[in-house]
Amino acid sequence: MSKPPRITLIHATPIAMEPIRLAFASSWPDAEVVNLLEDSLSPDRAKQNEITDALTARIGSLTSYARQIGSDAVLFTCSAFGRAIEHAAKTADIPVLKPNEAMFEAAIRQGGRTAMLYTFPPARDGMEVEFREEATRLDPAAMMESFLVEGAIEAVRAGDAETHNRLVAEAAARLSGFDSIVLAHFSTARAVPAVRAVTDIPVLSSPDAAIAKLRNLIG
């Protein structure tokens, strides 16, 4: 029997861990999942207007450690470090995925207009750039509009997932004229059932899309 692939998940906040754990349990239970949590990254990123050289170096160091422990692929679960992850991926000899690249690819292939619901403001600009870059590659006509769900991330950080999910669902219910909804962060994926209950617009989450892409990349 072949050895199961070792996938290292690198988290910048504990609230991203449960959604991806559940997604792996459902979609790829045979994978050997390793969790690395560096929870100073998220507050340090929130203090900066952009990704600094120091943050980029830290992301690179975490990627190198994942490679040292025999990982077959690395998946980052925080959406606020896109450029740093891209830099790390260029120096690695294994797949290194940004949290949302697979989800954006799926939304763009679906076509039309995408609505992004996000809860962590520092992540917005970088994610919009990532979407436009993917759209340039796959479908230049694709468009995305971003909507901040105020209070949601504070609720889930305080342990109140029910309020988080309600706020995200209420934001989704107000949307119309879009061809897909993407939930911006791994932490937001816990709201998928609540969002799908209030809208007929297709809903995409980053954990499920990322796992699908990893399976295609490494088998």
Side-chain angles (χ1 to χ4, degrees):
M1 182 179 296
S2 61
K3 180 176 71 69
R6 170 174 280 192
I7 311 296
T8 292
L9 309 177
I10 301 180
H11 313 281
T13 174
I15 62 175
M17 298 178 73
E18 182 69 0
I20 189 63
R21 183 190 70 79
L22 293 174
F24 265 100
S26 173
S27 301
W28 203 358
D30 295 336
E32 179 189 357
V33 176
V34 177
N35 291 281
L36 298 181
L37 171 62
E38 211 292 58
D39 60 0
S40 71
L41 279 170
S42 185
D44 288 351
R45 175 66 181 91
K47 297 172 186 175
Q48 306 294 333
N49 292 326
E50 58 186 24
I51 297 172
T52 63
D53 290 344
L55 286 170
T56 298
R58 289 163 65 182
I59 294 295
S61 295
L62 289 164
T63 303
S64 296
Y65 178 77
R67 187 67 186 91
Q68 291 169 20
I69 63 173
S71 301
D72 297 293
V74 176
L75 172 61
F76 282 84
T77 67
C78 182
S79 51
F81 298 91
R83 289 295 183 216
I85 299 168
E86 290 173 7
H87 186 271
K90 291 177 182 177
T91 64
D93 60 353
I94 57 174
V96 178
L97 267 62
K98 293 178 291 185
N100 300 295
E101 61 182 272
M103 179 178 67
F104 286 161
E105 289 172 5
I108 292 165
R109 288 194 171 99
Q110 187 149 321
R113 299 177 66 222
T114 296
M116 181 175 75
L117 298 180
Y118 70 103
T119 65
F120 186 55
R124 174 182 173 170
D125 289 347
M127 294 177 70
E128 289 180 343
V129 169
E130 290 175 29
F131 184 92
R132 288 195 296 270
E133 289 175 348
E134 289 297 330
T136 298
R137 183 172 65 88
L138 298 172
D139 179 6
M143 299 175 61
M144 186 176 76
E145 188 172 350
S146 302
F147 300 88
L148 175 63
V149 185
E150 294 186 3
I153 197 168
E154 290 80 9
V156 76
R157 283 173 173 168
D160 188 357
E162 182 178 350
T163 295
H164 168 275
N165 297 348
R166 175 179 57 78
L167 291 172
V168 175
E170 288 174 353
R174 293 191 290 267
L175 298 173
S176 63
F178 291 95
D179 299 285
S180 62
I181 297 171
V182 295
L183 303 184
H185 321 292
F186 274 59
S187 60
T188 326
R190 55 178 39 86
V192 166
V195 172
R196 287 179 175 160
V198 299
T199 182
D200 293 328
I201 303 172
V203 180
L204 304 175
S205 72
S206 41
D208 290 333
I211 290 173
K213 181 166 184 173
L214 282 172
R215 295 196 75 159
N216 287 333
L217 285 172
I218 67 176

